[in-house]
Amino acid sequence: SGLDDSWPRPHIKNADGSGAVTALTVLTDGFDGAVFPNEWLPGGKEILATVGHKDDSTRIRGSVDIWIVPVDRRTPARPWFETRNTELAPRVSPDGRFIAYVSDESGRSEVYVRPYPGPGGRLQVSNNGGTEPAWSREGREILYREGDRFMSVDVGPGTELTLAPPRVLFTANFLRFSREDNPSGYDVSQDGTMIVALQPVPRDPVTR
């Protein structure tokens, strides 16, 4: 919907299935891209979204950035972190104080974390490439993927964010995702004891 039907825009519908599907108000001055909702911010009034701008955009041409989209259908969307690099896969910490995300600012994809809503600088989480960040449910651990390896970084207690060196949890050939429209292929269970992931299953050839 909006300027161009070929460019995705977020819509909202009641969880119980009632009511109509309604487009969120995301078009602002100079906005002309695709919006992929990622997850709710605490309070349930705003959504973290990955925004891809067109190559001829009047903002940052061809960039991929992280925006905040209000769901009141009146307040315009706004950029949370916008650069000429690619930023995607935002995941908010359980206490709502930090956002982990993926950026290629170093020349390859790495996982970083920044205070939300800010101000404050970013800390690098991964050190050998990283995608698909996720928080443990108690917020004391950040998980991410380094190829087929699932990595874990312990988060120290206290008001200041401190991160331990990454360690390998396990290696598994699960499906990998790191795109604007598909930022992650796994998640952590509510009790923190399991990782739920997608695994490719070969199909038997059809016998005729």
Side-chain angles (χ1 to χ4, degrees):
S1 64
L3 294 178
D4 187 339
D5 286 339
S6 65
W7 287 81
R9 300 285 158 76
H11 290 61
I12 194 167
K13 183 177 176 63
N14 294 333
D16 63 3
S18 64
V21 176
T22 306
L24 297 181
T25 303
V26 297
L27 302 181
T28 60
D29 184 26
F31 182 87
D32 54 0
V35 183
F36 301 98
N38 291 136
E39 70 172 2
W40 291 90
L41 284 167
K45 295 182 179 180
E46 295 178 317
I47 294 172
L48 275 174
T50 301
V51 169
H53 296 291
K54 296 181 181 180
D55 289 338
D56 59 352
S57 172
T58 56
R59 296 190 66 89
I60 301 179
R61 297 182 179 182
S63 71
V64 178
D65 304 297
I66 299 172
W67 280 48
I68 296 174
V69 181
V71 297
D72 61 7
R73 304 180 183 89
R74 298 185 304 273
T75 308
R78 64 190 186 278
W80 176 73
F81 191 53
E82 187 177 52
T83 73
R84 296 187 180 279
N85 303 307
T86 293
E87 294 91 26
L88 47 75
R91 300 294 298 270
V92 63
S93 62
D95 63 7
R97 297 173 52 234
F98 301 98
I99 293 176
Y101 63 96
V102 175
S103 173
D104 65 356
E105 62 181 80
S106 68
R108 68 180 179 187
S109 294
E110 298 279 6
V111 177
Y112 301 89
V113 62
R114 285 179 178 270
Y116 173 79
R122 58 112 172 108
L123 291 178
Q124 186 168 334
V125 179
S126 60
N127 58 14
N128 191 35
T131 60
E132 301 181 64
W135 294 85
S136 64
R137 299 303 179 179
E138 75 280 358
R140 296 292 301 277
E141 189 179 12
I142 299 174
L143 286 75
Y144 67 91
R145 298 195 64 183
E146 180 188 299
D148 284 343
R149 301 201 297 177
F150 280 76
M151 309 294 293
S152 172
V153 172
D154 290 332
V155 178
T159 57
E160 294 294 326
L161 185 67
T162 57
L163 303 175
R167 56 187 172 88
V168 179
L169 286 180
F170 58 88
T171 300
N173 184 28
F174 292 122
L175 289 177
R176 295 195 296 269
F177 296 92
S178 188
R179 304 196 312 253
E180 300 94 318
D181 61 337
N182 225 340
S184 184
Y186 77 97
D187 206 350
V188 183
S189 65
Q190 187 69 41
D191 61 6
T193 62
M194 294 188 299
I195 290 176
V196 181
L198 298 174
Q199 186 172 33
V201 178
R203 299 179 63 182
D204 294 331
V206 177
T207 302
R208 298 186 181 279

